[in-house]
């Protein structure tokens, strides 16, 4: 049995390493996305549908997640909401707030040059 030692800056992976973390124990971006969706859904009781923005910050991570707030028939009339979600560097949710609510079938107004 061989005993190999990894340095902190090593990018080599040993068998059995947790493939959801980067070197130094930070979660990988895809794991942050999955965990953010799951944590928001657990806290709000609403299904997280998509992640529309994702960014690493000095304090951790910032995401914007689209959530199904009220299912209606037809589906294009369902109410969705966009939530800003903050996570610490390890991927734990530290806060969220609803930015806007909208019907699924409705698009945002186009921004035109000159403010018209």
């Amino acid at each position: 049995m061989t005993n190999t030692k990894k340095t902190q800056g090593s990018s080599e992976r040993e068998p059995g390493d947790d493939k959801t973390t980067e070197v130094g124990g930070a979660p990988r971006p895809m794991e942050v996305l999955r965990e953010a969706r799951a944590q928001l859904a657990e806290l709000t009781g609403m299904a997280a549908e998509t992640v529309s923005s994702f960014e690493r910050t000095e304090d951790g991570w910032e995401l914007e997640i689209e959530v199904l707030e009220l299912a209606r028939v037809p589906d294009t009339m369902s109410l969705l909401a966009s939530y800003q979600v903050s996570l610490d560097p390890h991927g734990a949710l530290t806060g969220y707030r609803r930015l806007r609510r909208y019907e699924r079938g409705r698009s945002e107004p186009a921004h035109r040059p000159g403010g018209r």
Side-chain angles (χ1 to χ4, degrees):
M1 180 173 189
T2 61
N3 187 7
T4 59
K5 185 176 180 181
K6 293 193 302 184
T7 62
Q8 186 172 353
S10 171
S11 63
E12 297 176 13
R13 302 203 73 82
E14 294 290 325
D17 275 359
D18 182 4
K19 296 197 180 357
T20 63
T21 59
E22 295 177 337
V23 173
R28 293 183 180 267
M30 285 306 297
E31 184 63 19
V32 171
L33 289 170
R34 284 186 201 103
E35 282 298 312
R37 288 177 59 157
Q39 290 176 67
L40 184 63
E42 185 175 346
L43 286 170
T44 64
M46 295 177 282
E49 294 214 341
T50 61
V51 176
S52 56
S53 73
F54 177 70
E55 177 181 11
R56 182 177 264 170
T57 66
E58 285 183 13
D59 299 324
W61 305 87
E62 291 288 328
L63 294 85
E64 193 167 318
I65 300 177
E66 308 304 314
V67 171
L68 176 62
E69 287 205 334
L70 181 61
R72 291 186 176 160
V73 176
D75 192 47
T76 56
M77 298 301 292
S78 292
L79 288 179
L80 298 174
S82 183
Y83 282 81
Q84 179 181 2
V85 178
S86 302
L87 297 102
D88 70 13
H90 303 289
L93 194 141
T94 58
Y96 70 91
R97 69 184 175 106
R98 184 170 63 193
L99 300 173
R100 63 190 177 93
R101 266 181 112 177
Y102 57 95
E103 291 176 340
R104 184 185 299 273
R106 212 170 275 226
S107 63
E108 293 183 69
H111 294 286
R112 295 184 185 155
R116 291 187 184 183

